[in-house]
Each structure stands twice: as C-alpha cells, then as structure tokens.
Amino acid sequence: IDDLVGLLRRVADGDGVPALVNAGSGRPTTLATVVEVVQDVVGPLRLVLDQQEARSFDIPASWLDVSLAWRSLGWQATTDLSAGVSAMWRWLTREPPGTAR
C-alpha cells in the first residue's frame, strides 16, 4: 500500500499527469506465486483453493505495463511481493490497543 500511496501523491502533486497510469511491480507474477507467498506468510493457516480448468476465453498471461508511471511521474514500486504481503498480514492480525492478554 505504501507504493500505491506514493504514486497517488505524485499524481496529486503533478502537472500534466496522464489520465490512466498502471500501478504494479512491472514483473509478471503468476497467481500460483501469489498464493504461495500468501500461504508462506499466513503460516499454519491453510488456504482453501478451488482451482478450475482454464476456459476457452481465458488469456494465458497478463501483466501491467508500468513504464508510463516511471516516464511521466518518476515512480516505480519498491516493495517486493513477499514483504508487502507480510506487512499487510502483520497489520491485519495486530491486536487493537488496550487488548488484554
């Protein structure tokens, strides 16, 4: 989320900002890799997946071209997938202030 906030700040502060800018790592990442990273982060909790066969109209691969964000705003993501998922998981599972143990 930190990377996205950084991009949004550049958009808000910029002049001549493109109407549409992709935000992403710029590196192809499979859904299987995302699932593996999330599973590694959540540890003993097990993800339950319902994986289906590809449909005839499903595209085999797709990823964002983030070069416009770099060219027009000087922005690129700096947080890798594992670090970002780990940080989000820590935030989601933190104890609210004042919680007794």
Side-chain angles (χ1 to χ4, degrees):
I1 196 75
D2 293 338
D3 285 336
L4 183 57
V5 169
L7 175 60
L8 293 174
R9 283 184 174 161
R10 288 177 187 240
V11 167
D13 295 341
D15 291 326
V17 175
L20 180 66
V21 174
N22 288 326
S25 69
R27 291 180 299 278
T29 304
T30 66
L31 186 54
T33 298
V34 173
V35 169
E36 182 179 314
V37 167
V38 170
Q39 186 63 70
D40 288 347
V41 168
V42 302
L45 298 176
R46 301 306 307 163
L47 301 177
V48 177
L49 303 177
D50 181 11
Q51 189 170 354
Q52 303 291 315
E53 292 292 323
R55 300 165 296 188
S56 62
F57 56 87
D58 289 334
I59 58 174
S62 174
W63 61 91
L64 297 173
D65 177 358
V66 296
S67 61
L68 181 59
W70 175 252
R71 285 193 320 272
S72 63
L73 300 165
W75 178 89
Q76 67 181 18
T78 59
T79 306
D80 79 350
L81 180 61
S82 182
V85 170
S86 294
M88 187 67 183
W89 184 249
R90 284 191 306 275
W91 182 83
L92 286 171
T93 59
R94 75 187 190 290
E95 291 186 11
T99 302
R101 286 192 166 240

